[in-house]
Amino acid sequence: MRKIVKNIKKYSGHFYVAVSAMMIGLYIMFHLNYLDDPRVTPPPPITGAEHAATGFADDWWFGVILIIAALIMFIGINIDNPKLRSIAISVITGCYGAITVAFFIRGVYDYRFNLTWIFSLLALAFIRQVLSTRGGGHHFK
């Protein structure tokens, strides 16, 4: 147990990224297709290219990817495995980047203004900071 706590303290940034990915993944899983709800996205519903570019953000498979990546990160922290941490943070970064682009499209190029893209952009900045400390980007030597 002490080793787990020690590793969580040592890789606290990675741990926070994993916790946030788990929370977002679980939110998506329990609120499937929430973006199609008229209380969230005022009518008319999104269609065409906008739906193709942003529709994934509330789908079950996207939530599963985030949950699996978070679990891999937790395991990588627990057993102090840099490759698992790198794989997980790469997947989570890609997902957060996709969320940033999707909600940027919804918020800036459309009248459905939403600040989610700003929060996901801040999460990407935090991930960059995590990777710049403790040799986060040098695991694949």
Side-chain angles (χ1 to χ4, degrees):
M1 186 64 159
R2 279 190 180 150
K3 183 179 179 190
I4 295 171
V5 173
K6 178 183 169 193
N7 285 345
I8 288 173
K9 286 180 181 177
K10 183 176 180 182
Y11 300 107
S12 60
H14 290 78
F15 181 76
Y16 299 142
V17 169
V19 168
S20 72
M22 180 64 74
M23 290 171 53
I24 292 169
L26 289 172
Y27 182 85
I28 291 170
M29 293 300 294
F30 286 106
H31 298 89
L32 292 175
N33 298 318
Y34 70 93
L35 291 175
D36 298 331
D37 186 337
R39 293 175 294 178
V40 176
T41 302
I46 61 171
T47 59
E50 184 182 2
H51 184 64
T54 65
F56 69 89
D58 62 354
D59 291 341
W60 68 268
W61 59 267
F62 191 71
V64 168
I65 290 171
L66 284 167
I67 291 169
I68 290 172
L71 291 172
I72 291 171
M73 180 76 82
F74 288 135
I75 292 168
I77 292 167
N78 185 26
I79 64 174
D80 200 5
N81 186 312
K83 287 191 181 194
L84 286 179
R85 289 192 309 270
S86 291
I87 290 168
I89 207 158
S90 297
V91 171
I92 292 168
T93 302
C95 289
Y96 283 6
I99 290 171
T100 302
V101 170
F103 281 93
F104 180 79
I105 290 169
R106 288 176 62 93
V108 174
Y109 290 117
D110 196 355
Y111 61 89
R112 298 174 172 98
F113 188 71
N114 190 315
L115 294 177
T116 302
W117 68 276
I118 294 174
F119 292 116
S120 56
L121 190 61
L122 290 172
L124 286 172
F126 178 72
I127 289 172
R128 185 200 177 283
Q129 181 62 29
V130 168
L131 291 175
S132 68
T133 58
R134 300 194 203 283
H138 305 288
H139 292 312
F140 290 113
K141 288 185 180 179

